[in-house]
Amino acid sequence: MKNHELKEHLEKILRYAGYEFDRFNVFPSMKKEFGDFSTNLLFKIKDPTQTKTNTEKIIYLLQQDNWIQENFEKIEEKNSFINFFLKENIIYSTIPEILSKKHEYGKSSYGEKKRILVEFVSANPTGPLTIAHGRQAAFGEAISRILSFSGYQVNKEYYLNDCGRQMELLGISLKAHYLQINGIPAEIPEDGYHGDYMKDIAAKLPKGCENKPNSFFEDFAREEILKTIKKDLKNFSVHFDSWFSEKQLRLSGKVEKIIEKLRENGYVYQAEGALWFKSTAFGDDKDRVLVKQDRSYTYLAPDIAYHADKIQRGYDILINLWGPDHAGYVPRIKAAVAACGFSPEKLHVIIVQLTTLFRGKEKISMSTRKGQFITLRQLMDEVGPDATKFFFLFRKADSHLDFDLDLAKKRTEENPVYYIQYAFVRAIHIMMFGKEKGVSEEEIINANFSLLKEEQELEILRKLKNFPLTVEQSARTLEVSKIAHYLLELAGAFHSYYQKFRVIDEDREISSARLALVHCFYIVMHNGLELLGISKPESM
């Protein structure tokens, strides 16, 4: 059962009884004393008196409903919330469902095959990916997997800012590095690129390039850096369906075309020698310059053309993951898509906050002024891709992250990703042991699940039953951390159970039932780790 099924039924009961109500929520209960589901509907009933008598009437009304009686052991009111306790046979029905659906368990048609374009990372190809880019990559990949699992058609895109002043500086900087390593005096611009990675790229250039134009060095640097970016993303289990070039966008004439379209619709005007976008017409706090006095584009002009291109490709929903330095940019890009005839409500911009690294209590400096920054590759090399990704995802995207390097490297239960993966491996070993003891797959499938009477067994079952709901909530809210926290709680329940009870018992029937529970745990953990893009080890 999912929360929307209960919600729809409650709405029917209330309407039939003549109650008027505002939109209410049904959600999985956070604590077992509050049952399996809770609802705030009592707060939403349009009853100015809010009397205790009326609350009692509603509780009584729900208790008399046949469908409620079939599915729930009891319902009760506590602190003006109504809590629903599922019948044990409903809870037990989770086991055959999981065993039947296997790696499809939790999958849904919630997204109704709507097309979504998720654009993330999109770092300038002027250097290796930093840990800030890495956190965006982790969220973008996980969100895409969750949405795809939830019935959306998802395309992942990387927008290459491969032209403009920063790219020119990249070429100038590489030429200076090249000249220096060949004994020719040259100065790297103060605002150029000074990092050691530039020296490595310069060392790859052939002899005799001294007189090559800047465009040659710019192209060479871009391609070398792109190779590094793609390699790091692959090692991080992040994959893109398409790479969109700003340089090609400009060459296509689409920037001029969208400006002309905005002009025709009355959304641009000339003032102070510049061309302005009337973004205040769509809720922005002030109008924005598109073309400067020197006739060069601002960042906004190609960005509008890019989003117009996304819209023309027929996507129903657009999702952008940006760093905190782009937070103020959101109103103007929403204004831009509105001017292009696209509902700004269908554009979701997720601001991914920065990460601070700590080694114990010592904060690690991450200055980028002279190219001395900590890269995603360095972080993965030190703590591993899995720990890197899980620590990035465990906190909400809009929350600043303090990343404890020492904790991420620990192979103990203090480290959440180790704790989760160890539970997964433990389940594998138990299943293998069950095979060695001759417990067949048929015995597991046909086991008497009602033998699972222990409190810890029912707790695990309730959590397993909530997995599809957790995935759906994550897809609806775009909050990946919900699944990360869910997996940690589920792993904790499993470890606790393992330490207290023997799965393979002398009683064959109990062994079969408990093995069924372990198989279900394994399947759900597998599916959850897959959604986060974290590996599923078979041994540790």
Side-chain angles (χ1 to χ4, degrees), residues 135 138-139 142 386-403 407 414-417 419-420 479-489 532 534:
R135 194 173 186 215
F139 272 105
D386 286 337
T388 300
K389 189 171 285 186
F390 190 85
F391 275 57
F392 280 160
L393 298 176
F394 194 66
R395 287 185 64 82
K396 290 183 178 181
D398 60 4
S399 297
H400 183 93
L401 173 64
D402 288 340
F403 194 117
L407 177 60
E414 295 176 77
N415 182 346
V417 69
Y419 189 65
I420 288 169
E479 289 183 20
V480 176
S481 60
K482 288 181 182 292
I483 292 177
H485 283 271
Y486 170 88
L487 293 178
L488 186 60
E489 290 178 11
L532 297 184
I534 292 173

Side-chain angles (χ1 to χ4, degrees), residues 397-457:
D398 60 4
S399 297
H400 183 93
L401 173 64
D402 288 340
F403 194 117
D404 187 337
L405 288 168
D406 290 341
L407 177 60
K409 288 191 290 186
K410 283 185 177 180
R411 294 180 62 81
T412 69
E413 63 181 34
E414 295 176 77
N415 182 346
V417 69
Y418 178 87
Y419 189 65
I420 288 169
Q421 289 179 320
Y422 188 64
F424 181 76
V425 170
R426 176 168 272 171
I428 292 175
H429 290 170
I430 293 171
M431 292 188 298
M432 290 173 63
F433 186 59
K435 281 186 178 180
E436 290 173 10
K437 290 296 182 180
V439 182
S440 68
E441 185 176 343
E442 185 178 355
E443 285 179 276
I444 292 169
I445 293 172
N446 297 315
N448 181 3
F449 307 131
S450 64
L451 294 174
L452 300 171
K453 293 289 188 182
E454 301 294 344
E455 183 180 332
Q456 288 87 346
E457 292 168 336

Side-chain angles (χ1 to χ4, degrees), residues 12-198:
K12 288 179 183 178
I13 295 173
L14 293 173
R15 287 195 187 100
Y16 186 78
Y19 282 96
E20 292 185 16
F21 52 90
D22 293 322
R23 185 176 180 180
F24 60 87
N25 296 318
V26 175
F27 41 86
S29 302
M30 299 302 293
K31 296 181 179 179
K32 61 183 178 182
E33 57 262 36
F34 298 146
D36 298 285
F37 296 100
S38 297
T39 178
N40 62 344
L41 72 82
L42 291 176
F43 294 97
K44 304 299 181 177
I45 298 291
K46 293 184 178 179
D47 172 28
T49 62
Q50 287 295 308
T51 61
K52 182 178 179 182
T53 302
N54 195 39
T55 296
E56 291 173 347
K57 283 182 180 178
I58 292 173
I59 297 293
Y60 179 78
L61 179 68
L62 299 181
Q63 288 172 334
Q64 302 311 303
D65 181 79
N66 290 334
W67 186 85
I68 296 289
Q69 291 176 1
E70 289 172 4
N71 288 280
F72 296 97
E73 192 69 40
K74 66 175 179 176
I75 64 172
E76 63 180 22
E77 178 268 335
K78 194 165 187 177
N79 299 325
S80 296
F81 285 85
I82 301 177
N83 303 320
F84 296 81
F85 296 75
L86 284 166
K87 286 189 172 181
E88 282 190 356
N89 67 302
I90 301 297
I91 296 172
Y92 291 136
S93 68
T94 303
I95 297 177
E97 182 183 2
I98 295 174
L99 294 177
S100 171
K101 291 183 177 178
K102 293 184 172 61
H103 299 317
E104 296 289 301
Y105 181 68
K107 199 170 188 178
S108 72
S109 58
Y110 172 77
E112 300 176 330
K113 295 185 178 180
K114 291 177 182 175
R115 298 184 67 221
I116 294 183
L117 182 65
V118 184
E119 182 239 315
F120 60 105
V121 183
S122 299
N124 292 357
T126 54
L129 296 176
T130 65
I131 60 172
H133 300 135
R135 194 173 186 215
Q136 293 172 38
F139 272 105
E141 180 70 24
I143 285 171
S144 300
R145 291 179 181 222
I146 291 164
L147 291 173
S148 179
F149 201 63
S150 300
Y152 291 94
Q153 298 180 69
V154 180
N155 188 278
K156 296 176 289 182
E157 186 159 275
Y158 189 118
Y159 180 61
L160 280 168
N161 300 104
D162 55 355
C163 60
R165 176 58 181 164
Q166 293 307 311
M167 295 304 296
E168 290 177 10
L169 273 174
L170 181 69
I172 294 169
S173 301
L174 179 60
K175 185 170 185 176
H177 280 286
Y178 172 78
L179 293 173
Q180 286 179 356
I181 65 175
N182 282 283
I184 302 172
E187 188 174 338
I188 301 167
E190 177 65 23
D191 56 350
Y193 295 91
H194 298 252
D196 290 341
Y197 70 94
M198 291 295 290

Side-chain angles (χ1 to χ4, degrees), residues 454-461 493 496-497 500-501 517:
E454 301 294 344
E455 183 180 332
Q456 288 87 346
E457 292 168 336
L458 293 172
E459 180 186 2
I460 292 172
L461 274 172
S496 176
Y497 174 61
K500 192 168 183 178
F501 300 98
L517 181 64

Side-chain angles (χ1 to χ4, degrees), residues 179-244:
L179 293 173
Q180 286 179 356
I181 65 175
N182 282 283
I184 302 172
E187 188 174 338
I188 301 167
E190 177 65 23
D191 56 350
Y193 295 91
H194 298 252
D196 290 341
Y197 70 94
M198 291 295 290
K199 297 176 184 176
D200 295 336
I201 295 173
K204 294 180 181 180
L205 284 161
K207 296 289 186 181
C209 294
E210 295 84 357
N211 298 318
K212 294 281 188 182
N214 184 64
S215 59
F216 167 81
F217 292 94
E218 180 182 322
D219 290 343
F220 190 89
R222 180 184 64 243
E223 292 308 309
E224 287 299 315
I225 290 170
L226 264 179
K227 288 178 187 176
T228 299
I229 288 173
K230 290 181 178 181
K231 181 180 179 181
D232 289 347
L233 289 171
K234 183 179 179 181
N235 292 340
F236 203 41
S237 298
V238 173
H239 307 281
F240 285 93
D241 301 301
S242 52
W243 297 71
F244 194 102

Side-chain angles (χ1 to χ4, degrees), residues 172-412:
I172 294 169
S173 301
L174 179 60
K175 185 170 185 176
H177 280 286
Y178 172 78
L179 293 173
Q180 286 179 356
I181 65 175
N182 282 283
I184 302 172
E187 188 174 338
I188 301 167
E190 177 65 23
D191 56 350
Y193 295 91
H194 298 252
D196 290 341
Y197 70 94
M198 291 295 290
K199 297 176 184 176
D200 295 336
I201 295 173
K204 294 180 181 180
L205 284 161
K207 296 289 186 181
C209 294
E210 295 84 357
N211 298 318
K212 294 281 188 182
N214 184 64
S215 59
F216 167 81
F217 292 94
E218 180 182 322
D219 290 343
F220 190 89
R222 180 184 64 243
E223 292 308 309
E224 287 299 315
I225 290 170
L226 264 179
K227 288 178 187 176
T228 299
I229 288 173
K230 290 181 178 181
K231 181 180 179 181
D232 289 347
L233 289 171
K234 183 179 179 181
N235 292 340
F236 203 41
S237 298
V238 173
H239 307 281
F240 285 93
D241 301 301
S242 52
W243 297 71
F244 194 102
S245 165
E246 180 185 348
K247 186 175 184 178
Q248 294 304 313
L249 177 72
R250 291 187 182 227
L251 291 173
S252 70
K254 289 182 178 180
V255 180
E256 292 83 358
K257 287 179 182 178
I258 195 62
I259 290 176
E260 186 56 35
K261 182 178 179 181
L262 293 174
R263 190 195 306 275
E264 291 171 0
N265 292 334
Y267 296 136
V268 298
Y269 61 91
Q270 202 81 30
E272 302 173 8
L275 189 68
W276 296 70
F277 169 45
K278 198 182 293 184
S279 56
T280 51
F282 303 96
D284 197 5
D285 59 346
K286 63 180 181 180
D287 292 342
R288 308 290 175 173
V289 176
L290 290 177
V291 184
K292 295 181 282 189
Q293 292 179 354
D294 63 3
R295 304 189 71 179
S296 65
Y297 293 130
T298 62
Y299 289 118
L300 183 58
D303 279 350
I304 294 178
Y306 174 45
H307 282 78
D309 184 88
K310 291 182 183 182
I311 294 165
Q312 289 163 7
R313 282 185 267 165
Y315 289 102
D316 301 299
I317 299 169
L318 304 178
I319 298 175
N320 296 346
L321 282 85
W322 291 346
D325 55 329
H326 283 72
Y329 202 68
V330 176
R332 69 194 76 169
I333 208 65
K334 281 190 173 282
V337 298
C340 294
F342 191 77
S343 170
E345 285 75 31
K346 294 181 179 180
L347 169 64
H348 303 275
V349 179
I350 300 171
I351 300 299
V352 182
Q353 289 296 334
L354 297 176
T355 299
T356 301
L357 294 182
F358 286 85
R359 200 179 300 281
K361 294 183 179 180
E362 180 187 355
K363 181 179 176 181
I364 298 175
S365 175
M366 293 183 286
S367 171
T368 62
R369 185 67 192 121
K370 294 292 183 181
Q372 304 304 318
F373 49 82
I374 297 172
T375 66
L376 173 61
R377 180 184 294 181
Q378 288 172 320
L379 184 57
M380 286 193 290
D381 286 346
E382 179 159 356
V383 305
D386 286 337
T388 300
K389 189 171 285 186
F390 190 85
F391 275 57
F392 280 160
L393 298 176
F394 194 66
R395 287 185 64 82
K396 290 183 178 181
D398 60 4
S399 297
H400 183 93
L401 173 64
D402 288 340
F403 194 117
D404 187 337
L405 288 168
D406 290 341
L407 177 60
K409 288 191 290 186
K410 283 185 177 180
R411 294 180 62 81
T412 69

